[in-house]
Amino acid sequence: MKVLDLTQTVSGRTMVYPGTEPAELTPANTLERDGFRETRLRLYSHTGTHMDAPAHMLPDAPYLDELDAAQFCGKGYVLDCAPLGAGGRVTAEMLRAVPELRTVDFLLLHTGWDAFWGTPDYFGAFPVLTVEAAQVLAKLGLKGVAVDAMSVDPMDSTEFPVHHVLFEHGILSIENLCNLSEVCGQTVWFAALPLKFQQSDGAPVRAICITDD
């Protein structure tokens, strides 16, 4: 069994969506002064590797803390989208050609964009789902869609149509994963457990996958 960490580390330099304030990690207690260490965290709910709840964009939709913990784990299939390149689109036809999607709980999109983490290129034209592809996923009853990029919609999107299709069908969005290149084309056991706080429209997660290697 191999456990692969798919999570970006949160720091004061962690990349955030344009317009979002960066995270602040401040020593609150120190060994020298207090005999123990404690850190004050100040960060937005969609910082780093994180999960979006349907309540992120829809009225009267569930928050993460209202969902059963079983919603955050299950079998996932890792689809290699990196060959599509900048501006690429994952189409409905592409998804219909993947039989594994009928037997899993999560679709993990490997765009390869985690290679640009920490650089301006990370905000570029990473491959994304088309709206029609999102509608195909909606019919499969997935628990979530995850991606190693900033969003499931293009960076220049203002209407966020893919988010809306997913959320309207109770499908979670997990963003800013990393290391998916190691499991491309595989079915894995996937878990992304969000920090549980009241009315969590989104939350940082520790995302992992487990393989039989």
Side-chain angles (χ1 to χ4, degrees):
M1 183 182 74
K2 179 180 179 181
V3 179
L4 180 64
D5 195 349
L6 307 177
T7 315
Q8 299 283 8
T9 301
V10 174
S11 73
R13 298 182 300 276
T14 293
M15 304 192 77
V16 293
Y17 201 84
T20 302
E21 294 179 12
E24 295 180 11
L25 287 70
T26 307
N29 299 93
T30 66
L31 282 177
E32 296 76 14
R33 185 186 66 204
D34 307 294
F36 60 92
R37 294 188 178 98
E38 192 167 5
T39 304
R40 179 180 181 271
L41 306 178
R42 183 179 186 274
L43 69 166
Y44 278 55
S45 53
H46 298 258
T47 297
T49 304
H50 69 274
M51 178 180 290
D52 296 347
H56 180 40
M57 292 185 179
L58 300 182
D60 304 317
Y63 295 93
L64 295 178
D65 56 300
E66 297 173 335
L67 299 176
D68 190 271
Q71 189 73 15
F72 309 135
C73 56
K75 290 172 64 178
Y77 179 74
V78 185
L79 181 65
D80 189 9
C81 309
L84 296 174
R89 294 292 183 268
V90 180
T91 66
E93 290 72 21
M94 292 172 61
L95 296 183
R96 293 191 183 104
V98 182
E100 290 89 346
L101 291 181
R102 304 186 188 99
T103 61
V104 298
D105 304 297
F106 294 88
L107 171 62
L108 283 61
L109 300 173
H110 168 248
T111 70
W113 233 251
D114 58 328
F116 302 122
W117 182 257
T119 75
D121 289 338
Y122 193 71
F123 299 110
F126 43 81
V128 294
L129 297 165
T130 64
V131 172
E132 293 75 19
Q135 291 168 341
V136 168
L137 298 177
K139 295 177 182 178
L140 294 175
L142 296 181
K143 293 179 180 180
V145 173
V147 64
D148 56 358
M150 183 59 77
S151 177
V152 294
D153 278 296
M155 286 301 301
D156 59 357
S157 176
T158 57
E159 300 296 328
F160 308 108
V162 172
H163 276 89
H164 278 268
V165 171
L166 298 180
F167 293 159
E168 287 165 5
H169 291 84
I171 300 174
L172 303 169
S173 169
I174 304 100
E175 297 162 339
N176 295 326
L177 294 181
C178 59
N179 299 326
L180 288 177
S181 60
E182 299 187 34
V183 285
C184 279
Q186 296 185 38
T187 297
V188 299
W189 194 87
F190 174 74
L193 303 181
L195 182 66
K196 189 177 182 181
F197 62 92
Q198 190 173 32
Q199 294 188 328
S200 44
D201 52 84
V205 300
R206 185 69 178 260
I208 64 165
C209 71
I210 299 176
T211 68
D212 295 328
D213 295 344

